[in-house]
Amino acid sequence: MPVPALDSPRARWTAFSVLCSMQLMIVIDISIVTVALSSIQRDLGFDQARLAWVTNAYTVGFGGLLLLSGRLGDLLGRKRLFIGGVGLFTLASAACGLSGTQEMLIAMRFLQGAGAAMAYAVVMGIVFTIFRDEPRQLGKAMGAIGFAAAGGASLGILISGLLTQGAGWHWVFYVNVPIGAAAALLAARLIPDDKGPGLGAGVDLLGAALVTTGMMLGVYALATGSEHGWGSARTLGFGLGAIALLAGFVARQATAGVPLLPLSLFRSRELSGANLIHLLLVAATLSSHIMLALHLQQVAGYSVLVTSFAFVPSALIGGFSSLALSQRLTARFGARTVLIVSLLGVAAALLAAARVPEDPGYLRDLLPVLLVLGFSAGLAMPAVMTLSMSVRDPRDAGAASGLSGTSGMIGDSLGIAAMAAIAASSAGRALADGESAASAATDGFRLVFGIAAGLVLAAAAVGWFVLPAARPVPSGEGAPSGPPRRAPEAVAS
């Protein structure tokens, strides 16, 4: 099928819309099971500890395979890998909906995450290619991608509630099938063809095995720590094993002829700082969205549908700040300044969430938190993702894109596992001290929100001390990133 040249703004934005819509769906699938978990647990007989793997299996498959997927995109062609990833994601989504056992659902969620990694890892590289010579349009595109990252959690909770209430939990997976099929067909027609040198150029399979296995062990240790004891030989053994495997991955990257992640990338303060900030921000915000949804259902007594709609204002205002404001503010003040200020806004919202009472009023206690959180995260995500693509060599664009996705997924996997375990441990201690179930659960959620705020404040400190100050870009230039010297190099992928 011939692919039209992207020689008009309409053609470029049409191709971008396919990429961005699929990326949004991939992010949504991290949280889309949140409201449906109770129904899944009841129908398939999950215990509480194993239920977390309905979420974790997806994020481990996603995060563990992003770096390998980025390299395969460079070798086989980004368009080819995107379409293959969308196909695997779509088939695995259908299999998730058909699952009748715990084992099948967890396995299919892992495959769903693997397909998501293949598609997600190459999106940034394709976007930078499409808008290679249009920095202002690239800035707008980054705002849309930032919205997909920031608003995906809220939209996932909304869609989950609507589908679970109206059609059953199976449909939180079936909904991906028509969207994925349409995305694959449109991508084949609209995305420019590209060719890579082929697998003969080298693939670091050992490195991929080390990072994927290390992540799986780490998430498993965190997810089961409260059940088996944080100081138990089991928890410490898995934790130390994860550290050893990830250290082995770093050592492998230093010696591999064609590494998945060239360590030379970390010479860039923008890239290094932005990825650390991305990890901390996602660990705090995504887990907080999920914890807040659980608080509304388990403590405040909100129904599935009401819980879903409670997050709509956050998604709407996040879309406004990402799509309408982020590019303008970044052009005027620089990505570093926008990022630091927005991180402080996220931290303030999470600190306010830590004070939400056991029986909160929506307008008085919850809506202000959700509005500030959505607005601030909507500004932070485009800025951090722009900075995370600060590479000197265009050939490193694929690795930088994979690293950016990996940092987010590590934060996601570890954040959800750790926060859920911390909340459960705190609630257990409070119950043992004689508190009511609702009060004990509230204590656990409050502790999680306080920790999340601390993570975001740490991210703001990284932004202040690590990211180099940059000259604000004049509005006429419209460059999407803070340091102007990076813009021509970053878009030349």
Side-chain angles (χ1 to χ4, degrees):
M1 180 181 295
V3 178
L6 299 182
D7 53 2
S8 70
R10 180 179 181 180
R12 286 189 285 273
W13 281 104
T14 302
F16 171 77
S17 66
V18 175
L19 296 168
C20 192
S21 61
M22 195 62 212
Q23 189 181 45
L24 177 61
M25 181 57 63
I26 288 169
V27 175
I28 283 174
D29 257 69
I30 300 170
S31 61
I32 198 170
V33 300
T34 300
V35 179
L37 284 175
S38 296
S39 298
I40 293 173
Q41 183 178 27
R42 182 177 60 253
D43 286 357
L44 299 185
F46 277 97
D47 59 35
Q48 195 63 37
R50 204 174 192 195
L51 184 65
W53 280 94
V54 177
T55 298
N56 291 338
Y58 178 84
T59 53
V60 169
F62 191 175
L65 294 173
L66 271 167
L67 290 176
L68 177 60
S69 297
R71 176 59 179 162
L72 289 175
D74 291 338
L75 296 176
L76 301 177
R78 292 170 186 155
K79 176 181 178 178
R80 181 183 299 179
L81 202 75
F82 179 81
I83 294 173
V86 171
L88 178 58
F89 174 85
T90 303
L91 291 174
S93 296
C96 285
L98 293 170
S99 296
T101 66
Q102 298 177 19
E103 293 77 13
M104 181 177 177
L105 179 57
I106 291 173
M108 292 304 102
R109 282 287 279 171
F110 181 85
L111 288 180
Q112 194 185 27
M118 292 168 62
Y120 192 97
V122 297
V123 164
M124 293 288 285
I126 298 174
V127 169
F128 272 76
T129 300
I130 290 174
F131 297 105
R132 182 194 308 271
D133 301 317
E134 299 179 281
R136 288 181 64 85
Q137 300 305 310
L138 177 59
K140 294 178 182 179
M142 294 303 292
I145 289 175
F147 167 69
S154 296
L155 291 174
I157 291 170
L158 171 63
I159 295 170
S160 177
L162 293 173
L163 292 174
T164 302
Q165 184 80 13
W169 65 264
H170 304 81
W171 282 93
V172 304
F173 302 113
Y174 289 149
V175 70
N176 294 329
V177 176
I179 296 173
L185 292 173
L186 289 171
R189 177 70 181 88
L190 297 172
I191 295 176
D193 290 317
D194 60 331
K195 295 182 179 180
L199 296 177
V203 181
D204 184 14
L205 295 178
L206 176 58
L210 288 169
V211 70
T212 303
T213 308
M215 279 193 60
M216 291 179 67
L217 287 182
V219 172
Y220 184 79
L222 288 170
T224 60
S226 60
E227 178 185 1
H228 298 285
W230 294 106
S232 68
R234 179 192 181 96
T235 301
L236 292 176
F238 280 119
L240 292 174
I243 292 172
L245 287 167
L246 294 176
F249 168 73
V250 174
R252 170 66 180 173
Q253 300 315 288
T255 58
V258 186
L260 285 178
L261 180 62
L263 299 183
S264 59
L265 288 179
F266 294 100
R267 295 173 186 167
S268 166
R269 289 172 60 188
E270 292 99 325
L271 183 144
S272 300
N275 276 282
L276 180 55
I277 292 169
H278 194 199
L279 188 155
L280 294 170
L281 178 61
V282 172
T285 55
L286 189 59
S287 60
S288 295
H289 274 89
I290 292 175
M291 291 296 108
L292 186 56
L294 293 175
H295 175 81
L296 295 182
Q297 292 181 84
Q298 296 176 0
V299 179
Y302 283 31
S303 68
V304 168
L305 205 56
V306 172
T307 298
S308 301
F309 278 104
F311 287 85
V312 170
S314 181
L316 291 177
I317 198 167
F320 171 75
S321 60
S322 293
L323 300 174
L325 293 181
S326 63
Q327 192 264 343
R328 296 180 182 179
L329 293 175
T330 297
R332 180 174 178 82
F333 300 106
R336 175 181 181 268
T337 300
V338 172
L339 178 58
I340 292 172
V341 173
S342 58
L343 288 173
L344 294 176
V346 173
L350 292 173
L351 287 172
R355 299 175 59 85
V356 169
E358 183 176 314
D359 185 19
Y362 182 75
L363 294 178
R364 181 186 68 248
D365 300 312
L366 295 175
L367 184 59
V369 170
L370 291 169
L371 290 177
V372 175
L373 182 60
F375 182 84
S376 301
L379 290 178
M381 281 299 183
V384 75
M385 295 181 77
T386 295
L387 289 166
S388 70
M389 290 298 293
S390 299
V391 292
R392 295 184 180 276
D393 188 340
R395 292 172 296 182
D396 290 331
S401 178
L403 177 60
S404 176
T406 300
S407 63
M409 285 306 102
I410 291 174
D412 169 29
S413 300
L414 298 184
I416 292 174
M419 296 299 188
I422 290 170
S425 294
S426 175
R429 290 193 300 270
L431 283 172
D433 291 338
E435 292 189 28
S436 66
S439 179
T442 301
D443 289 346
F445 290 129
R446 285 176 174 173
L447 177 59
V448 163
F449 295 136
I451 293 172
L455 292 178
V456 178
L457 288 174
V462 172
W464 181 264
F465 291 108
V466 176
L467 296 179
R471 171 180 64 83
V473 180
S475 58
E477 297 177 27
S481 63
R485 59 186 173 84
R486 298 287 188 201
E489 296 163 343
V491 299
S493 60

